[in-house]
Structure formats: structure tokens, C-alpha cells
């Protein structure tokens, strides 16, 4: 157990739908990062939050959004889903020099 | 733009056959270079962080080294349980920069 908790582990949904992925960081970590991993693209950085504020954006689509709550857990919202959004979605939390990943959510869009 | 290129994409070794994985990078000021191991369907597992050229770190059969342009992950006398995808990532010096990953090297070790 890495200390970073992601739910759900698996999600199957239809095109056009909206889903929410959840991440609880390690105790004491203020930063949360979201990554998407597909077979051909590798791990792609989506967005970072630090202590509730958006800190950096990567290759995140406009259909995707995220937020970090006062208890530091984070949610990634994916809407108008397309087949190409099928991927593993990882959350990571960090302290200086240390980035720890969760076990991921496997999203399948059918 | 920060970039990471890993080679080879795939590597097959016999048990006990040592080899090295390469990670070439370009970054506007390196804050850290990270190596992770990832098993299929699992999250990346942290191995090492290197901060400056000339630095080396070891863990069991793995040794990571860093120069100004690349890093190597040396695997000595690998075992089948070392089979995994090895990911390299860099973090630039600008505040708030996330880890930028290469596509990984998939290592298969057969007995």
C-alpha cells in the first residue's frame, strides 16, 4: 500500500457519459497530480493541485476538470466521454523529492 | 519543452545477463531525475531520485547513474522477478513543475 488511495479501481461507462475519479493523498502531502496512461502515449501529466489551488496544467482536455477539497482529497471529472478516453488514470501525491503513485483507476468507455 | 526519451523500448534478457537501460533528457534546469518500476495494471513504484551529474544510487540488483544529458539504470544479474516496465521522469527547476515521463523500457527476464 503506497498510502495514496484511488477509487474506484475499475469503471466501465458509455460514450457521452460523465464520471468522477477520486484520490486521497498520503497523510501530510499537500500536492496532488493527475496522470493519464494509455498504451501508446505513456504517462501524460494532466493537472496539479497544491493545498486546494490549481498549480499547473498539462495536456488536460477541456472536457476534463479537477478540484482539491479542504481535506486534500482530489476528484477528476471526465465528461462527454469518448472511446479514446479509455485509459489508466493515476493520482500521485508529493512531498519534497518524493512522488508516490496510487494504484490507478482503469476507465473503459464503450 | 522538457523531454524524456528512453531506450530500448523493450529488452529481453536471460537470468543473470546484466544490461543497462538508457534515459536521455532535456530540461530547463534539472531539479531531479526519477526512476520508477511499473508492473502491468499497477501504479509506478518509486526506485530512485538523482539530483546532480555524477550521482549514483543502488538498490539490490539496480544501480542508477546520472550525467548532464542522460541517466542509466544498470541491472546486474537480473532475475525473472525484475521483469517490469522501467520509467524515467524528470522534474524541472521551475516551481510547481510536474514529473515528465518517458515511455518506458519493458524488461523481460527469462530463466
Amino acid at each position: 500500500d503506497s498510502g495514496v488511495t484511488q477509487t474506484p479501481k475499475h469503471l466501465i461507462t458509455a460514450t457521452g457519459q460523465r464520471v468522477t475519479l477520486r484520490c486521497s493523498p498520503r497523510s501530510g502531502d499537500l500536492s496532488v497530480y493527475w496522470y493519464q496512461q494509455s498504451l501508446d502515449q505513456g504517462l501524460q501529466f494532466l493537472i496539479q493541485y497544491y493545498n486546494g489551488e490549481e498549480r499547473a496544467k498539462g495536456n488536460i482536455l477541456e472536457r476534463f476538470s479537477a478540484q482539491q477539497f479542504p481535506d486534500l482529497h482530489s476528484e477528476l471529472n471526465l465528461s462527454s466521454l469518448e472511446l479514446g478516453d479509455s485509459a489508466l488514470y493515476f493520482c500521485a501525491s508529493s512531498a519534497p523529492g518524493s512522488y508516490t503513485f496510487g494504484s490507478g483507476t482503469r476507465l473503459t468507455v464503450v | 519543452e522538457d523531454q524524456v526519451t528512453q531506450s530500448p523500448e523493450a529488452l529481453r534478457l536471460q537470468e543473470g545477463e546484466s544490461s543497462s537501460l538508457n534515459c536521455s533528457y532535456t530540461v530547463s534546469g534539472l531539479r531531479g531525475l526519477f526512476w520508477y518500476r511499473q508492473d502491468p495494471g499497477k501504479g509506478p513504484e518509486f526506485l530512485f531520485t538523482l539530483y546532480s551529474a555524477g550521482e549514483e544510487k543502488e538498490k539490490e540488483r539496480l544501480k542508477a547513474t546520472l550525467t548532464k544529458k542522460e541517466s542509466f539504470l544498470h541491472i546486474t544479474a537480473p532475475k525473472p522477478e525484475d521483469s517490469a516496465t522501467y520509467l524515467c521522469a524528470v522534474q524541472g527547476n521551475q516551481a510547481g513543475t510536474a514529473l515528465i515521463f518517458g515511455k518506458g523500457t519493458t524488461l523481460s527476464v527469462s530463466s
Side-chain angles (χ1 to χ4, degrees):
Chain A
D1 181 9
S2 68
V4 178
T5 304
Q6 290 189 246
T7 57
K9 291 192 183 305
H10 303 278
L11 204 48
I12 301 175
T13 191
T15 55
Q17 294 299 303
R18 172 189 170 97
V19 296
T20 297
L21 313 183
R22 181 187 170 103
C23 169
S24 294
R26 286 185 316 177
S27 177
D29 287 353
L30 300 180
S31 275
V32 169
Y33 302 78
W34 285 97
Y35 284 82
Q36 179 192 56
Q37 187 175 42
S38 53
L39 281 175
D40 57 342
Q41 289 296 320
L43 270 166
Q44 297 287 310
F45 168 62
L46 296 177
I47 196 164
Q48 178 203 357
Y49 277 81
Y50 177 84
N51 203 19
E53 300 289 328
E54 182 184 303
R55 176 66 69 92
K57 266 187 174 180
N59 301 320
I60 189 166
L61 299 172
E62 285 192 11
R63 300 182 285 109
F64 296 0
S65 65
Q67 54 186 330
Q68 187 178 28
F69 295 86
D71 67 352
L72 300 178
H73 91 271
S74 179
E75 293 182 356
L76 179 67
N77 301 296
L78 315 177
S79 61
S80 303
L81 285 167
E82 303 174 359
L83 296 177
D85 297 327
S86 296
L88 272 166
Y89 290 84
F90 289 104
C91 161
S93 73
S94 75
S98 167
Y99 293 79
T100 302
F101 283 79
S103 57
T105 294
R106 180 176 293 279
L107 173 66
T108 303
V109 183
V110 297
Chain B
E1 182 182 328
D2 299 346
Q3 274 193 319
V4 178
T5 303
Q6 291 187 247
S7 62
E9 289 185 16
L11 181 63
R12 291 182 179 274
L13 299 174
Q14 289 289 115
E15 185 172 3
E17 179 186 3
S18 302
S19 188
S20 296
L21 313 182
N22 177 263
C23 170
S24 298
Y25 65 91
T26 55
V27 64
S28 52
L30 180 69
R31 177 179 288 186
L33 184 139
F34 298 75
W35 282 99
Y36 285 84
R37 169 194 171 124
Q38 187 177 26
D39 293 303
K42 306 287 188 184
E45 177 187 340
F46 173 77
L47 293 174
F48 304 108
T49 307
L50 302 168
Y51 295 100
S52 58
E55 189 175 1
E56 299 182 351
K57 288 193 177 173
E58 288 187 66
K59 179 180 179 180
E60 297 180 356
R61 295 176 293 282
L62 300 177
K63 178 180 176 180
T65 62
L66 181 64
T67 72
K68 288 186 177 179
K69 292 185 179 180
E70 56 191 352
S71 176
F72 292 93
L73 185 64
H74 307 278
I75 303 177
T76 302
K79 299 182 177 182
E81 53 262 42
D82 294 322
S83 298
T85 295
Y86 291 85
L87 300 170
C88 172
V90 295
Q91 186 189 27
N93 259 334
Q94 294 181 355
T97 53
L99 296 185
I100 303 301
F101 281 85
K103 292 190 176 183
T105 294
T106 299
L107 173 66
S108 299
V109 183
S110 54
S111 56

